[in-house]
Amino acid sequence: MSATSSPSATAIGTVDAQRVEDALSLIAPKWTNWSVQTLAQQSSSMRVRDVAARLPFVSEQFVGKRLAQMHADGLVTRVDDRHGAPYQLSAFGESLSQVHHALADWSQANLSLGGRVAGAERVEDAVRRLHLRDSTAVIQVLDAGGPMRFVHIAEEAGLDNGWTRQRLNRLQADGLVARTGPRHGDPYVLTDAGRALGPVYTAVEHWSDPVSTRPRSTPQTPVAAATRTHTGVPLGSDNVRTAAALRRSAAAPSALFSHAPQPQPRVPAAVTAQSTPTRGR
């Protein structure tokens, strides 16, 4: 199906890219979504040690820091102000379920992560691909006018050429963007996964309404977290430790937690058909 005939294609261009990325920055720090889904499974509040017991691959100290940040961002509340007081999801955190469903459905339909992968891991992987600053703007430009050379993408998105190249390289590695040929300067186009992002962006923007009006107490935290996600331990190495911890512990519910290997980018069939064979492929 072409981008122009896809019902989700229009939604990509109509969302507020800044709002979408601001919202994604709240759930981008690793294990935030796992913590949200862990709390969502409970009918009562949970102490840090209880959440950590269900995340055996993360230290209790780290879980405490993550929950404290989630509290500052309004995703969770505390029963009282005492040290060690239990946490529970706020109404804002509970409403994340719609975003999680959209992310998991998009991943299931468009990404080949290999083997059986639980929804929580698909959500973490999807957010990792989508949250980086200006990625949404680049995807919107390609959705509206691709295939395009990177200089034209930079011009349309109002970005620096070098920054645009960096974003395109990352989006290509994550399977959302592909080049129409192997030569330097060949145009870029959205993959099937990239063109299917409309429902995800719509769900995130709808959820983000409180984000756009609520003052942030620590405005630099999402940026720092996003940088750590991009430049820190590679996903593959991180997941090796995760899988090993899961094998050692029976505390993690199999329906929620799972190991996901590195995904493979998918090039649209239309691009493959139009590309001429080369010796390098």
Side-chain angles (χ1 to χ4, degrees), residues 29-39 45-73 75-78 83-88 124 228 245 257:
K30 189 66 173 173
W31 314 123
T32 296
N33 299 289
W34 294 56
S35 298
V36 167
Q37 294 198 23
T38 298
L39 288 166
S45 57
M46 299 179 70
R47 298 184 184 277
V48 171
R49 63 173 179 268
D50 299 323
V51 177
R54 296 172 182 271
L55 303 175
F57 34 78
V58 188
S59 69
E60 183 174 328
Q61 181 181 19
F62 186 89
V63 171
K65 291 180 178 179
R66 178 61 68 240
L67 288 170
Q69 183 59 56
M70 292 167 62
H71 181 261
D73 289 334
L75 297 173
V76 297
T77 60
R78 299 183 68 179
H83 178 73
Y87 288 92
Q88 62 187 18
E124 291 278 2
R228 287 195 299 273
F257 305 117

Side-chain angles (χ1 to χ4, degrees), residues 192-258:
D192 292 341
R195 290 187 289 121
L197 279 169
V200 173
Y201 285 153
T202 299
V204 173
E205 185 179 42
H206 178 74
W207 174 75
S208 74
D209 286 342
V211 178
S212 62
T213 59
R214 190 179 70 254
R216 297 297 305 279
S217 58
T218 54
Q220 294 302 316
T221 298
V223 176
T227 302
R228 287 195 299 273
T229 303
H230 177 51
T231 61
V233 180
L235 178 65
S237 300
D238 193 46
N239 280 349
V240 168
R241 292 200 300 273
T242 298
L246 289 173
R247 287 195 296 269
R248 293 194 301 270
S249 174
S254 59
L256 180 61
F257 305 117
S258 177

Side-chain angles (χ1 to χ4, degrees), residues 84-166:
Y87 288 92
Q88 62 187 18
L89 287 179
S90 65
F92 186 45
E94 289 178 348
S95 66
L96 257 177
S97 61
Q98 296 181 0
V99 174
H100 284 176
H101 280 303
L103 288 165
D105 289 347
W106 171 76
S107 173
Q108 182 69 48
N110 296 280
L111 302 178
S112 299
L113 301 186
R116 294 188 60 186
V117 180
E121 184 61 23
R122 284 193 175 276
V123 168
E124 291 278 2
D125 176 76
V127 174
R128 177 189 65 81
R129 297 167 191 264
L130 301 176
H131 81 279
L132 293 180
R133 187 62 64 194
D134 298 319
S135 295
T136 308
V138 171
I139 289 174
Q140 285 180 323
V141 168
L142 281 172
D143 179 65
M148 298 177 67
R149 298 180 183 275
F150 93 92
V151 291
H152 297 146
I153 296 171
E155 181 180 358
E156 290 293 325
L159 303 174
D160 175 79
N161 284 354
W163 181 252
T164 302
R165 175 78 77 178
Q166 180 181 337

